[in-house]
C-alpha cells in the first residue's frame, strides 16, 4: 500500500533560527499580518519578531486578539485587519491557538464564503504564505494540516484541514519557548509525547511517520524533565522543540488515536487544557492499547531505554506504560480530582463523553479497537 506524506515546505530550526530566517521570510511578501496573543506582546516575543521583519524591510500589522481557543469571530477580525492593511502574508506567533487562527485566516483570504462553510472539509485553494513560530513545545501545529475553530453560533468545534493549511515555513527557535511557564511546559510536552506515541501505534502509521514518531519519543523522554525543572536550559528546550515538531509531522500523517479522542470531551465539558487532559489519560489509555500490538509498544520501550534483555514484548510494553506514568508524576500532572472536578458530575456526563469520544473518529485508529464500554471503563479508572 502506498502512503502520502505531508510536511511543511520549509523548516528552519536551531539556535538563532529566528534571527537568520529574515532573508527567507522576505521572499513571502511585503507586509505581514502577525497573528498572536496579548501575552506574546507583553513578554516581548512580538518585539523579537518585528525586529527581524524591520531588519529585512518587511512591513507588518499586529493582530493580538487570539487570547483563547480560536473562534469564527476571531478569524473574522483577523481577515478584516489583513485586508484593511493590505497584507500579503501571515506570521503566526504563539502556542497552538494563534497558529490555528492564522491557518483559518489564511484559508479565508483565498477561499470563497465563510469559515463555517468549510467545517470538516478540505480547504480547496492555497492560502497566502504562512510562517508559524511556536512558543510552546508543543502542539505541533506548525507542521500540521489541521486547524480547529469554534463556531460560536452553533457552539461546535469545527475541524478544517488539508495540505493547503500546512504552514509554508515552520520556524522552530527554542529561544521563543524559554518563556513557557512550568505548567505549560508539562502539559504541552505530554501533548507532544502523546502525538508521537499515538502516531507510532496508530492503524494509519506508515514507515516515514514511524521514523519521526520514534525520534520524537526519544527526545521528549530524554529532555522533558529538564525543560520542566530548568526552563532556561537551551539544550533541553531545543530538543523539546524538535521533538514536538517531529511529533507534529508524525501525527499529521498517521493521525491520533484513543487518548486525543477521549481528552476532547474532558476539555469541552470541564475546561481542562488539552495537554493536561491528554496527560491525565495517557497511562490508562496505553494500558488498554498495548494488547493490540505489544511489539510496537516494546519498540518504544527500547527507544527510551525501558527494555531489558530477554523480557517479552508484553513486559516491555508494560515497562513503557510505567515509565510514561512516572514521567507524568515527575512533572506534576494533576488528577481530575486535583483539578477540582466533581466526581459525581464527571460520572453523570460519562455516557455522553464516551459517545462524543467515539464520534470524533480518533479512537477507531487505535491498534486495539475500543468499545463504548472500554471507553467508560478507562474514564472510570481515572478516579481510582
Ligand atoms: Fe494534541
Amino acid at each position: 500500500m502506498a502512503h502520502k506524506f505531508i510536511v511543511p515546505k520549509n523548516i528552519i530550526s536551531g539556535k538563532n533560527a529566528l534571527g537568520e530566517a529574515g532573508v527567507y521570510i522576505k521572499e513571502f511578501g511585503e507586509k505581514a499580518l502577525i497573528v498572536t496573543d496579548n501575552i506574546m506582546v507583553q513578554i516581548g516575543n512580538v518585539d523579537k519578531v518585528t525586529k527581524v521583519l524591520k531588519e529585512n524591510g518587511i512591513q507588518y500589522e499586529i493582530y493580538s486578539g487570539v487570547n483563547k481557543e480560536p473562534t469564527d469571530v476571531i478569524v473574522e477580525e483577523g481577515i478584516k485587519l489583513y485586508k484593511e492593511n493590505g497584507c500579503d502574508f501571515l506570521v503566526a506567533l504563539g502556542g497552538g491557538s494563534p497558529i490555528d487562527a492564522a491557518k483559518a485566516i489564511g484559508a479565508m483570504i483565498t477561499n470563497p464564503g465563510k469559515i463555517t462553510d468549510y467545517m470538516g472539509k478540505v480547504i480547496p485553494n492555497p492560502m497566502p504564505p504562512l510562517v508559524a513560530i511556536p512558543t510552546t513545545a508543543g502542539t505541533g501545529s506548525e507542521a500540521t494540516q489541521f486547524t480547529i475553530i469554534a463556531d460560536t453560533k452553533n457552539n461546535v468545534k469545527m475541524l478544517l484541514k488539508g495540505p493547503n493549511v500546512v504552514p509554508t515555513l515552520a520556524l522552530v527557535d527554542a529561544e521563543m519557548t524559554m518563556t513557557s511557564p512550568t505548567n505549560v511546559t508539562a502539559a504541552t510536552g505530554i501533548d507532544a509525547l502523546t502525538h508521537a506515541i499515538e502516531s507510532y501505534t496508530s492503524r494509519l502509521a506508515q514507515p516515514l511517520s514511524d521514523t519521526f514518531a520514534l525520534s520524537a519519543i526519544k527526545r521528549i523522554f530524554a529532555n522533558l524533565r529538564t525543560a520542566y525543572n530548568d526552563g532556561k536550559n537551551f539544550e533541553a528546550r531545543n530538543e523539546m522543540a524538535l521533538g514536538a515538531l517531529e511529533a507534529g509531522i508524525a501525527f499529521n500523517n498517521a493521525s491520533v488515536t484513543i487518548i486525543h479522542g477521549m481528552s476532547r470531551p474532558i476539555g469541552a465539558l470541564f475546561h481542562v487544557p488539552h495537554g493536561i487532559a491528554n496527560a491525565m489519560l495517557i497511562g490508562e489509555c496505553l494500558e488498554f492499547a498495548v494488547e493490540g500490538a505489544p511489539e510496537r509498544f516494546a519498540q518504544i520501550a527500547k527507544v527510551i531505554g525501558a527494555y531489558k534483555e530477554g523480557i517479552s514484548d508484553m513486559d516491555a510494553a508494560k515497562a513503557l506504560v510505567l515509565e510514561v506514568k512516572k514521567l507524568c508524576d515527575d512533572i506534576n500532572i494533576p488528577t481530575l480530582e486535583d483539578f477540582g472536578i466533581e466526581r459525581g458530575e464527571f460520572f453523570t456526563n460519562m455516557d455522553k463523553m464516551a459517545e462524543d469520544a467515539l464520534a470524533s473518529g480518533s479512537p477507531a485508529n487505535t491498534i486495539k479497537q475500543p468499545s463504548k464500554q472500554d471507553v467508560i471503563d478507562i474514564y472510570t479508572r481515572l478516579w481510582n
Side-chain angles (χ1 to χ4, degrees):
M1 185 185 158
H3 303 283
K4 192 176 183 189
F5 194 74
I6 299 168
V7 288
K9 201 168 173 186
N10 306 273
I11 299 173
I12 301 179
S13 64
K15 204 164 178 61
N16 201 30
L18 175 61
E20 291 179 31
V23 288
Y24 303 103
I25 298 174
K26 204 159 61 177
E27 292 171 14
F28 295 144
E30 290 175 0
K31 188 168 187 181
L33 179 69
I34 301 174
V35 179
T36 188
D37 61 35
N38 287 332
I39 291 172
M40 290 298 127
V41 176
Q42 283 159 21
I43 64 175
N45 276 347
V46 171
D47 287 343
K48 289 179 188 161
V49 172
T50 56
K51 181 173 174 275
V52 171
L53 297 184
K54 278 184 211 153
E55 282 168 2
N56 288 276
I58 304 163
Q59 295 177 287
Y60 58 85
E61 185 64 36
I62 299 167
Y63 174 52
S64 61
V66 195
N67 294 298
K68 53 181 181 178
E69 290 187 344
T71 64
D72 47 359
V73 177
I74 286 173
V75 171
E76 286 299 329
E77 280 176 7
I79 295 167
K80 197 163 164 257
L81 263 186
Y82 185 99
K83 287 182 175 167
E84 279 175 3
N85 290 282
C87 298
D88 53 6
F89 74 107
L90 293 144
V91 174
L93 173 73
S97 293
I99 298 175
D100 273 10
K103 288 176 179 175
I105 293 166
M108 295 319 296
I109 296 296
T110 49
N111 288 276
K114 297 190 302 295
I115 188 91
T116 44
D117 299 338
Y118 296 92
M119 179 169 174
K121 292 195 181 137
V122 170
I123 301 292
N125 299 324
M127 62 178 179
L130 165 59
V131 179
I133 311 174
T135 59
T136 60
T139 64
S141 186
E142 70 275 14
T144 71
Q145 53 176 327
F146 310 110
T147 174
I148 294 175
I149 306 292
D151 171 351
T152 51
K153 278 192 199 76
N154 300 306
N155 211 13
V156 289
K157 286 196 176 177
M158 305 179 288
L159 173 71
L160 299 94
K161 60 188 172 189
N164 284 329
V165 295
V166 177
T168 320
L169 167 62
L171 179 42
V172 180
D173 186 332
E175 202 62 48
M176 303 302 279
T177 70
M178 304 286 265
T179 45
S180 174
T182 49
N183 60 336
V184 175
T185 300
T188 54
I190 295 291
D191 186 29
L193 179 67
T194 308
H195 296 151
I197 296 180
E198 289 195 292
S199 301
Y200 191 72
T201 59
S202 165
R203 286 174 183 267
L204 303 177
Q206 52 161 299
L208 284 176
S209 62
D210 287 351
T211 304
F212 282 87
L214 286 181
S215 178
I217 292 165
K218 195 172 176 185
R219 285 187 208 276
I220 295 166
F221 255 96
N223 292 281
L224 180 50
R225 285 181 180 88
T226 310
Y228 177 79
N229 290 314
D230 176 15
K232 294 283 165 237
N233 183 318
F234 180 84
E235 202 39 52
R237 290 287 200 184
N238 189 45
E239 287 292 301
M240 283 303 300
L242 291 175
L245 170 71
E246 288 173 322
I249 292 171
F251 92 87
N252 193 39
N253 294 285
S255 201
V256 287
T257 66
I258 187 168
I259 306 165
H260 272 75
M262 288 182 65
S263 86
R264 290 187 201 105
I266 296 180
L269 278 169
F270 300 102
H271 309 290
V272 179
H274 175 73
I276 304 230
N278 282 336
M280 288 167 167
L281 283 157
I282 190 168
E284 295 303 330
C285 285
L286 292 184
E287 216 160 301
F288 166 81
V290 288
E291 284 172 17
E295 66 288 358
R296 298 288 284 176
F297 291 91
Q299 196 58 42
I300 300 176
K302 281 182 188 159
V303 161
I304 65 157
Y307 176 81
K308 288 189 188 69
E309 203 57 52
I311 63 172
S312 68
D313 282 349
M314 190 46 111
D315 283 345
K318 284 178 181 164
L320 165 72
V321 176
L322 280 181
E323 285 300 320
V324 170
K325 287 183 174 178
K326 206 160 137 245
L327 176 61
C328 289
D329 281 348
D330 289 349
I331 58 171
N332 299 309
I333 294 297
T335 62
L336 289 164
E337 198 173 1
D338 296 337
F339 202 81
I341 295 165
E342 290 263 335
R343 185 190 166 104
E345 203 189 338
F346 192 89
F347 276 73
T348 308
N349 284 289
M350 215 149 66
D351 196 79
K352 183 179 175 342
M353 285 165 66
E355 271 172 18
D356 290 351
L358 291 171
S360 76
S362 303
N365 299 327
T366 313
I367 204 81
K368 180 183 172 190
Q369 286 281 324
S371 66
K372 186 177 166 187
Q373 191 57 49
D374 290 328
V375 172
I376 288 174
D377 290 346
I378 294 170
Y379 277 138
T380 304
R381 281 202 291 277
L382 299 184
W383 291 91
N384 291 339

